[in-house]
Amino acid sequence: MGEEEEEEVSVTALHHPNSGNDDQSLEFDIYPLSSYYFGSKDAVPSKDLTLVDRVLRMKSNYAASGIRTCVEAVLLVELFKHPHLLLLQIRNSIYKLPGGRLRPGESDTDGLKRKLARKLSVNEDGDGSEWEVGECLGMWWRPDFETLMYPFIPPNVKKPKECTKVFLVKLPESRKFIVPTNMRVLAVPLCQVHENHKTYGQIISGVPQLLSKFSFNMIES
């Protein structure tokens, strides 16, 4: 009887929000979209006009440097009292999280700050120190050059060709986003992104599930 009671208490502790496992770091402040200013700057040249171009470039880079490592940012804003994810839209059809490929020897945090400065800041050559990069939410792997991304390395794959790491980045109460003219920033509700693989791809559509452990504080302007 005693053992059964202890097991029941243990299960309850796992599910009760105030069971002693409360972690303040899992609370995340989100500020209104209206708190941010969006401007434009010169276009960023596109490296890949077609999927074939992308595959050829990946093969060339892999031959020179090995596995490709990318870092991407999850940026959240509040709109209509619901968390929205900031996405870059390219050519009206491709959606991406802000970020990009790391340079050889570059750390994840430094590389993501550099990419955010290049894509979203006034000063493209800055060190990106204004960006507060938080924890890594997840990692995806590309087994081959033309295959989809997976949140694991398939057992038959010994040398994956690409790894993408997604980080939660905390936005300040207000800031300026300066975006290349050939891109658009969209605020998309998490409920629309969730498991919408066809529109947003595996990584973006998986973000809401990765964020499920956080409690969002909607800060009113």
Side-chain angles (χ1 to χ4, degrees):
M1 184 66 176
E3 294 181 357
E4 291 179 357
E5 290 178 353
E6 290 179 3
E7 183 177 354
E8 184 177 349
V9 171
S10 177
V11 172
T12 303
L14 288 173
H15 292 86
H16 197 282
N18 298 316
S19 60
N21 292 324
D22 186 26
D23 188 350
Q24 294 297 322
S25 66
L26 296 182
E27 294 184 358
F28 196 80
D29 293 339
I30 302 178
Y31 297 95
L33 179 63
S34 58
S35 299
Y36 302 101
Y37 167 82
F38 295 86
S40 61
K41 58 184 177 181
D42 292 341
V44 174
S46 177
K47 296 181 181 179
D48 306 311
L49 296 178
T50 67
L51 180 59
V52 174
D53 293 335
R54 174 179 170 80
V55 171
L56 290 175
R57 183 167 63 91
M58 288 182 64
K59 288 182 177 180
S60 175
N61 289 337
Y62 183 82
S65 307
I67 186 172
R68 170 189 174 98
T69 302
C70 297
V71 287
E72 297 180 346
V74 169
L75 304 171
L76 297 172
V77 297
E78 178 272 333
L79 186 62
F80 304 124
K81 300 188 183 298
H82 185 76
H84 282 55
L85 181 64
L86 293 185
L87 299 177
L88 290 175
Q89 186 184 38
I90 305 170
R91 295 195 292 273
N92 295 323
S93 60
I94 301 173
Y95 299 92
K96 290 187 174 182
L97 294 170
R101 180 187 176 196
L102 292 180
R103 292 171 176 169
E106 189 174 37
S107 71
D108 295 342
T109 299
D110 289 345
L112 184 53
K113 288 182 176 181
R114 175 178 59 83
K115 285 295 183 179
L116 290 174
R118 183 167 183 261
K119 300 283 179 66
L120 299 176
S121 297
V122 177
N123 184 9
E124 298 184 9
D125 299 322
D127 60 4
S129 58
E130 74 272 21
W131 297 98
E132 186 177 341
V133 178
E135 70 173 270
C136 180
L137 297 174
M139 300 170 64
W140 278 262
W141 304 85
R142 192 185 303 276
D144 211 333
F145 297 110
E146 300 180 22
T147 55
L148 300 174
M149 303 286 284
Y150 296 90
F152 56 86
I153 301 178
N156 61 326
V157 175
K158 304 302 180 184
K159 295 182 178 180
K161 302 303 185 285
E162 181 177 350
C163 173
T164 296
K165 303 177 183 179
V166 176
F167 290 84
L168 183 61
V169 176
K170 185 177 181 179
L171 292 176
E173 186 174 355
S174 64
R175 69 160 294 127
K176 293 181 178 180
F177 290 93
I178 308 299
V179 186
T181 54
N182 57 335
M183 300 180 185
R184 295 173 59 198
V185 174
L186 301 179
V188 184
L190 289 184
C191 59
Q192 179 177 318
V193 170
H194 179 56
E195 294 188 347
N196 192 344
H197 309 290
K198 185 176 181 180
T199 301
Y200 300 106
Q202 300 100 320
I203 295 179
I204 294 176
S205 62
V207 166
Q209 186 171 355
L210 296 175
L211 293 173
S212 63
K213 67 179 181 178
F214 292 94
S215 174
F216 297 125
N217 296 322
M218 307 293 180
I219 309 298
E220 297 183 2
S221 56

